[in-house]
Every structure is written in structure tokens, then in C-alpha cells.
Amino acid sequence: MRRILIMSLLGFIFTLQAQAFRWASDAQWIGSSDDDQCLYSPYLAAFRLSIQFRLGVHADEASIVWGADDERLLSADMNPFEVSHEKGQTWVKLVYRQIGDSATVNVYRKGYAPADDDAQPLAVFPVPRQSTSATRGFHHIVIASCLGDSKIYVDSVSVGTINLNPLGRGGDFIAFPVLGKVGFAVGEGQKAEVREFAVGNYRSPYGRIARIKELEGTYDGLTRIIDPSRHSMPLLRGYFNARGAVKKAELRITARGIYDVKLNGKAVNNSYLCPGYTQYNRTQPYQSYDVTEDLRQGNNQLDVQLAEGWWMGAATYEGQNWNYFGDRMSMKCQLDILYDDGHKQTFVSGPQDWKYTSQSPVVYGSLFQGEVYDARKENGEEEWEPCEVIGIKGHVSHEGWGNGPAPDDYSQLQYMETSSDDSVDSIATLTAIGMTEPRRGVYVYDMGQNMVGVPRLCFHNLKPGQRVKVRYAEVLYPNLPEYSGKQGMLMLENIRAAMAQDIYIARGGKEETFAPRYTTHGFRYMEITGVDTPLALEQVQGVVLSSAHCIQAHYECSDSLVNHLWRNILWSTRGNLLSIPTDCPQRNERLGWAGDLSVFSPTLVYLTNAQALLRRYLQSMRDVQHDNGRMPDIAPLGGGFGGFLWGSASITVPWEMYQQWADTLTLRQHYPAMHGYMEYVRTHYFDAKTGLLVQEHAWGDLSDWLSPVYAQDDKSLIWEAYYIHCLDIMAQAARVLNYTFDAATYGKTASERRRFFCETYLDKTTGRTIASAFMGEKRGSLVDTEVSYALPLAFDIVPLSLRSRLADNLLSVMNRENRMDNGRSAPPHSLLTGFIGTSWISRALSLSGHTDEAYRLLTQRQYPSWLYPVTQGATTIWERLNSYTSEDGFGGNNRMNSFNHYSFGAVGYWLMAHSLGIQRSPHHPGFKHFIWAPEADSTGKLTYAKGWYNTAYGRIESSWEIKGNKVIYCLTIPKGISATLIMPGTKSKILKAGSYRFSQYWRKS
């Protein structure tokens, strides 16, 4: 316990160092007033309607309307049912009907699905008698709708729940209904009075967004339906006076939401989505800018545009997390000026010096939903009001997500300055390579590459107020019978509840450009509607956004499909490093799933210098770690599912950083969290009777996720192998940090668990893997899957006497046909591992002396394999190896089917470390000294491979080429570092800086 307290104290000291800057006491969080919040009803899919009304003396019913005139239902091109209606023909309606002191609530839907019948209620809910006792008094109806799943309350009493989304319940579906147009109605000859009609937030603390006064008042046989949208994203403005010659001026700024800041009309930040994504109630990021050159003597003006970002709006695949961190955007800044004469001046954010307008051109800005931009509002005719202080109380929910912490706990808040190293920046610009018109007026542009970012569209001669819509998809519906009539249209089912739509409202003129800054999309295809004629290809560009600013590694070989695979790995790396490492960049998820990062991190640290980003991610992991040591499955936020293998990222990622970059600082800072997690696993995840690592016996305790043979594995075998791997890492990390007691303890436990693994999961005679008691009646039966051998081989779990048998068993599995869970047969040399095993399968083969099989696995073209998606047109790594096939289309996986998911790209490590042989030295982290152990392809499928890796000291270049019966190896070592040569048939030796060439006899295996 004393040791844990000391380590926690060290972590606290590092935290203090991270927040050395102190904000001025009068720097405040400021934003717009309660009455000027942005409401954009076509995009609002989680909301609460609150209506207070009373019926007239002789009236017996009144209706509340929402979801009316959803723009997607007005055109068959914009919705999955391909329905098309005139305005006034689509709505959801609640009818409150009262006769005497008996009442019902009837719910109707019209125009959403072909089977909708406006005369037949979807549901009838009786209203409890206590809610009808005051027959002619005011009633209060609340409709809480979350992606269509709607709860109805009458006078604070829940009367019923109904799912109004015709596609299905929850976040896995395109979201219907949105708030849309809303209204109130009574029939002819009936009267009612509406005292209040308000729109509020679905999530607690249920703050009001807007009061719709246009719908309040007396109704006499009247129907009123309006668009309640009002106000824009807040734009804040501050004026200050610089009194003298300026020597240095530094602006520090952050936001709850995201910001763009300008000084005297000039952009201060070029990066997107500032200040970035963290666990905001624990770690608030901010940026510092040197603005000396842009400051002028006399009057100066700071403008700060805010948008939702990760702070509020749609977040995660569950709609109840809308406004997860808070329901109000705000900004905090401090400008410190040092004058030539030595005196200082500080200008801070506060209501006394700042004003806001709720009529900025950025009508709405959401990461999931998209950006709406009204260029007509660029004329500078805004009305300005004094800013208000925006606090936490009353604006942040206490409800965490799943196993995540309460987001209103600010007791440990720290501010962290982040640098440009992990910012979201424009790293490339793509121009459309083709355009089709699958339906009249629907123009679909192909960017040629699945990318993450925003469009840059150049328009000519648009009319003032003309609305141009832009939608995004990774794939199109193919020409298969299942998708008849939809061929060539965007496939949006896998985007799910994210609206993913931008709207540009033109100011009118010869030329104007739309380039959103407050959203991102994952897409290859861009659909543009609302233009009179199609844009030329050069007018349609995609701005690629990423926190992976520079690629640090390269691989190339004689197989064009493998080269394409490498490019796909790079593009998925770019697309999924966006302030944090994400699982996917397009659907209503985009989360920091720890398991995905854990398996990909060995590849990631080669590809890009993500050190700053990973440090911040690990800070988020610590921020959401439970007091008992449990690590969440997702960071920031917490929540999710996955269990031990996902939480193990807190062990594997800092160790990868140490090995790749000699990052002892991060390892030391994170070690208390690592130790706490391992203690949690030890005390919570083992069955006392069997000794097995069993976790919680829940579905969400994942193992080799998305393996084609997932159901055939013994989960506990995989968990046990990874537990031993984590114990080894902890022992090594403890030695690095001179925690000798911990090193000995973890080492001893690892030895004990190795014995347990061999006794429990291996047949003593054959060395084949067998099921444990975790599998119940299957105990003792063969497991015999690729991952069950790959992990113990890669993690050096079995003794030398068993190693060759395990390797032979792995080869036996790989050289035969195997039955997959879907009932189909997988050909020999197939990739039958999921997220976990894929990271280790090739390494296990090479470490066992079977690199030839690793090359057969690499070059396999049939499903399941790495190259199969390439043959199907993939330009990024897919979530599933069969996300699309030319025979089966999307295989019924239209919804959970990301086409940009880096996990299966974990083979990138093997390409660098084994094929090219550029390996880290266990005794010299950071490539001051490295191991060169290239392995040419003895199968002859590849005839050459070459590439490089940029270390902190310079570029290492490696290559091999087969020429006749010889293989030629070449190496270039930059100045200041050295290498150990390890090559079969050659004596190991030390190589200093310089260029080398070796040749060996080669024979095809």
C-alpha cells in the first residue's frame, strides 16, 4: 500500500508539472445567454418537448406534433425507404384525449415508412387517474425522444414508451425522427390554451434550449406547425487596447466545445477542432499562441467562434450521451502582453469586456451531424449582447456512461497545454477523380480514396439563399439484386445515427467557397444536391485532416497488392488519429476504444511520431480509471465494453512508447495506473476455485474480436496469455524504473502463470490447445485455432521442449481448410484471427522459424486474408475482412461495418520488424542501437522488399532482393547509432553508421 501511495504521489507531481501555467483569477468561462442557445431542429435527434396546456370547457382532445417535414422524407433520394412527400404530409403526433376523468395518449406517425397509417395509432397509453383528476386544469406533457425511442410523461407520471424509428431501436440505425417542425392543434369547434411550449435537452440536467413562444396562446379549432430553429453557434468578441510598443504577446485559450480564434481579422489558429479531446472534467487542454506580430498599438479585436466539438451534441453510439460533458459552449482565454519598457498587461475573458452574437454564419457545427453555414450572415450586421459567465452547475449531468466516471466531478481538474504535435491539421488535399449522376440532380463524386476530413467546394453563380446539401459515404450500393434501384447511391446505413450532412446557404455571387471547420466526415464519396448543374471535378476537393502529420516509415515490395495493403494501413492510421486514436472515423462512434489501440500500437509507433497524442490519450485513461484500479474500455468518456484485453492497453501502449522512443517519462508517469490495473485484475477477475481468469462472465468480455472462428476459441485461454504478457511487461517496466520489489513480484507471478497455462490449456501429449473449465461441458475438447497457438508462441509462454510442437500445431491449422463460424470453409493459409490475434500471428510464425508461412499468409488473396479487401477495392483497412464482397455485397452487415478501422492493419509491425528486419533492441530503447534481422521470402512470392524508418537520429534504410540463387541484403545506418546484425548463416556482429551489403544463398522452400 505504501508503494502504491508513493507511486500515486509521483503521478501527482507530474500532473503539477503539466499545469505550471496559472490562469489569472479573473479569467472566466464565458458564452451566450440562456435565451440565445442554438437550436437547429432538422439535426436534433435527442430532445425533450415540454408542453403545458389545458383543454377548453367542451374540448376533449389536443394534439402535439413533432418530426414534421423532415427534409429527408421530402425526397426519395434522401431516405432509406425511398418515400417522397409534399410538405405537411410527414409528422409524428401525440393526441391527448380526455372524456370525463378518463384519458389516453394516442401516438400516430405519418409519411415515415410505407406502412404508416395516420388513422391507426401506433400505440394507445392510458393516463393514470391522478393525472386526469384536475379535468380542466393545466396538464404537463413531456416527450423525451432519443433517436426515436420516446418516453411520454403526463403530469410527471410515465405513461408509456414507444420506439418511433421505423428502422429499429437505438444508435445502430439512421435516426428518425428528429425534432423537425413542431406544433400544437385542436380540432374544429374545440379550444385549448398553451401556457408553455419548450424544447429541452434529453440528457440531465434537462436544460431548456428554447421556449417556442410562437406556439403559446389560445387555440380555437386551430393548427400551428412551425420550424423552431433559431440562433447560430456563438461568436464571441472582445476589444482591448495595447498601450505602447509590444515586445511579446502570448494568447492562451481553451473552450468547452471547439474554437477558432482571430486577432484583428487574422486567424490565430490554423489547426482544426481546438482545443482537442480529453476527459474534460479532469483534464482541460489549452493552447498558447505567440501573437506579437499581429498585435497593433491601440485598439485590437479578438473573435472566437465556438461549436460543439466533443463537449456537447451527439456523442457515442448511444443517444443518451448527447451533451455528455455539458449543454453549453463557452470559452476561456488570457492574453499576456509584455511591453518594451518592461511593464505588463493582461486581458482576460469576462462578461465586462466581451460580447457575443447568436447570428454567426456557422448556423450549426457538430462532429457527427455536420455543419450548416449561411454565407449571407457574413455581412457583419450582427446584433451583439454582453457575454455571460457559463458555469458547470446546471449544465453538466451527473450521469456517467456505463463504467465511466461522473462527468460533473471537477475535484481533480487540471489544465494541460497541448502542442502542435497532436493537433488536428490539414495534411493533404484530394481532388475528385470522377462523378456520376445515379438519379436526376444527385451528383456523386469519387475522391478515389477513403479519407477523413471536410470538403472544399468552389461554387459559381449560386443564387442568394440557395441551399446546397452535401452527404458522405465510404461506399456506394453495388449493382447486385439485393440493392436493386439503389445502385450508385450512397450507402449510409453504416454511418448509422450520425447525420453526416453539411449544408451551405449561398450569399450569391460569381464565386464562393464552402470549407467547413466544425465537423469531420469519413468518406470516399461525396453527394452534392441543390445545385443547378454539376460541379467540375476540380471544384470538388477533400481536405484530409489528421493528427498524424508525418509518416515515419515506408515499405515496398514486388507484390502490388501488398503495397496497396501498406497504403491502406497508412490511410487508416491518418484517419483514426484525430486528436485521439479512434476505432473508426465515420459513424456515430469515433471513440477511443482501448483494445483497438492496444493491438495496433506496435505498428502505430513505427508509422508516425504519435508520442504527444499517445501521452494525452494515456492521461485520459488515467482520468477515467476507477479508484479500485479498473481501466475502462474507452477513453475519454469511459464506458463501452471489452474487458481485460481492452484495459490492457494501459499496459501495452506505454511500453511500446518506451521501446520505440525511450520514453521513460511517460512510463514513469503512467506506472501507478498500470500497477493499479494489474492489482484490479488480480483481485477481481480470477475464479478462486479453478484459478482461471474469467472476468465477469459477460458477453462484453471480448476476446479475439471479429475472428472468423470467434465461437471456437476458449476466451479464458486468450485472456490468460495476455495476462502473462502484461506481467512480463510490468516486470520489465519495473526494472527500468528501479522498482526492484515489483520486478521480482511480477516476474514470479509470470512464471507461476506460465506453468498454469501449460497445465490447463495444452494437451500434454500432443501440445494441442484444449478447452478449460471456462467452457463448461467442452472442457478438454480441442480448441486448435490459430490464435490459441500464436499467443503462447509470441509471448514465449511455453517451455522450449513444447515450443516446436506448438509451432507444428499452428502450421497444421494454417495448412488445412477450416470451418468458420458462418459455416463456410476457409482455404489453407487463411487469416483466422481477429483484432487480438492478428497483431501476433505473423510474429509467432517468424519467432518459431516459419517466416515462409508468414509470407504465405501475407500474400493469400482469398477470404479471409489481408489482401482480400484489397482485391475488393479497399483503400483503407476494414473493420471486417469481408466488409464487402463482389458476390455478397455487405453480407447483411450494413450497419456495424466500418470501412476505415486500423486493427487488422497490425501486420504493419511485422513488415517493418521482420520482413525489413528493423527491430528495436530490448536493451537500447529509442533506436540508439537497434537489431537488423531481415527475413527474405523463401517461398518466392515476394522477390524484393525495401523501406525505411525515421528514427530521432536519422533514417534507417533496409532492403533485400532475390537474384537467381542469391538474396542481396542492404542496410544504411545513420550517424550516431549502431546495429546488431542477426542473419541465419552469418555470425552476429555490431554494425556502425554506414552502408552495408550482404549476400546469401537462397533456395525456394
Side-chain angles (χ1 to χ4, degrees), residues 381-640:
E381 297 178 358
E382 307 92 349
E383 295 181 0
W384 297 85
E385 301 290 340
C387 285
E388 295 187 2
V389 175
I390 309 296
I392 295 300
K393 188 175 181 181
H395 295 300
V396 178
S397 176
H398 179 69
E399 300 170 8
W401 181 34
N403 56 41
D408 65 343
D409 179 5
Y410 275 73
S411 61
Q412 301 178 50
L413 176 66
Q414 62 167 325
Y415 286 86
M416 173 185 287
E417 181 174 3
T418 62
S419 68
S420 59
D421 291 342
D422 60 356
S423 58
V424 177
D425 291 312
S426 168
I427 62 167
T429 300
L430 305 182
T431 300
I433 64 169
M435 187 275 291
T436 60
E437 188 179 3
R439 295 180 184 173
R440 185 176 180 181
V442 177
Y443 305 111
V444 176
Y445 291 84
D446 182 1
M447 305 310 297
Q449 172 65 52
N450 197 7
M451 56 163 281
V452 175
V454 292
R456 181 183 291 129
L457 306 177
C458 183
F459 300 110
H460 300 307
N461 303 314
L462 293 181
K463 296 179 286 293
Q466 188 170 348
R467 293 167 62 89
V468 180
K469 291 184 180 179
V470 190
R471 300 197 301 172
Y472 307 87
E474 296 182 295
V475 291
L476 305 178
Y477 283 110
N479 188 17
L480 292 173
E482 181 182 354
Y483 314 112
S484 177
K486 296 183 179 181
Q487 295 94 331
M489 296 290 286
L490 301 188
M491 201 285 272
L492 296 172
E493 293 167 75
N494 74 321
I495 309 298
R496 307 193 309 200
M499 184 74 71
Q501 175 181 268
D502 298 330
I503 298 177
Y504 180 73
I505 304 170
R507 65 175 176 272
K510 187 175 181 181
E511 183 173 310
E512 45 195 306
T513 300
F514 179 39
R517 286 190 57 87
Y518 307 104
T519 188
T520 63
H521 306 286
F523 65 101
R524 174 173 175 172
Y525 299 96
M526 191 186 310
E527 176 197 272
I528 300 177
T529 57
V531 293
D532 300 324
T533 57
L535 277 64
L537 297 182
E538 61 269 19
Q539 293 174 257
V540 179
Q541 294 183 321
V543 179
V544 181
L545 300 181
S546 180
S547 295
H549 302 150
C550 183
I551 297 299
Q552 301 287 351
H554 177 68
Y555 182 88
E556 180 185 331
C557 68
S558 57
D559 189 326
S560 62
L561 293 186
V562 174
N563 294 337
H564 198 135
L565 170 68
W566 175 262
R567 290 194 297 272
N568 290 359
I569 295 171
L570 296 186
W571 275 101
S572 281
T573 300
R574 295 182 182 108
N576 283 291
L577 294 187
L578 205 75
S579 189
I580 63 166
T582 63
D583 62 324
C584 61
Q586 74 297 89
R587 67 189 181 208
N588 60 332
E589 198 161 351
R590 314 183 195 190
L591 296 169
W593 285 97
D596 301 56
L597 175 62
S598 181
V599 299
F600 191 68
S601 59
T603 296
L604 174 63
V605 295
Y606 270 97
L607 297 186
T608 183
N609 186 5
Q611 192 171 5
L613 180 142
L614 292 177
R615 279 181 176 173
R616 187 156 51 81
Y617 179 79
L618 290 175
Q619 177 66 58
S620 292
M621 290 200 79
R622 296 194 295 275
D623 286 344
V624 295
Q625 185 176 22
H626 294 203
D627 291 340
N628 63 9
R630 189 198 193 286
M631 278 291 177
D633 310 298
I634 293 171
L637 292 177

Side-chain angles (χ1 to χ4, degrees), residues 16 70 110 122 187 253 337 348 370 381 386-387 419 518 599 663 665 712 724 879 894 980:
L16 290 178
D70 186 322
K110 181 180 180 180
L122 296 174
I253 183 169
I337 304 173
V348 299
E381 297 178 358
C387 285
S419 68
Y518 307 104
V599 299
D663 191 349
L665 175 65
Q712 302 173 41
I724 295 169
E879 182 175 21
N894 295 38
T980 296

Side-chain angles (χ1 to χ4, degrees), residues 192-208:
E193 179 186 353
V194 177
R195 183 164 64 185
E196 180 182 89
F197 196 114
V199 178
N201 293 305
Y202 178 84
R203 181 175 170 83
S204 68
Y206 313 120
R208 177 184 292 175

Side-chain angles (χ1 to χ4, degrees), residues 707-719:
S707 160
V709 294
Y710 188 83
Q712 302 173 41
D713 282 315
D714 180 340
K715 287 184 174 183
S716 72
L717 181 157
I718 297 172
W719 299 337

Side-chain angles (χ1 to χ4, degrees), residues 331-349:
M331 176 276 296
K332 185 176 184 179
C333 73
Q334 178 171 323
L335 176 63
D336 293 306
I337 304 173
L338 174 63
Y339 293 96
D340 285 345
D341 61 7
H343 81 275
K344 300 177 181 179
Q345 180 186 4
T346 297
F347 175 68
V348 299
S349 51

Side-chain angles (χ1 to χ4, degrees), residues 325-387:
F325 286 104
D327 60 23
R328 295 293 301 281
M329 290 163 277
S330 57
M331 176 276 296
K332 185 176 184 179
C333 73
Q334 178 171 323
L335 176 63
D336 293 306
I337 304 173
L338 174 63
Y339 293 96
D340 285 345
D341 61 7
H343 81 275
K344 300 177 181 179
Q345 180 186 4
T346 297
F347 175 68
V348 299
S349 51
Q352 65 278 8
D353 296 312
W354 286 78
K355 295 184 177 183
Y356 76 89
T357 179
S358 59
Q359 296 301 317
S360 75
V362 185
V363 175
Y364 188 60
S366 163
L367 296 182
F368 281 20
Q369 304 300 79
E371 181 173 323
V372 180
Y373 190 89
D374 190 343
R376 297 172 300 178
K377 296 184 177 183
E378 295 174 339
N379 56 22
E381 297 178 358
E382 307 92 349
E383 295 181 0
W384 297 85
E385 301 290 340
C387 285

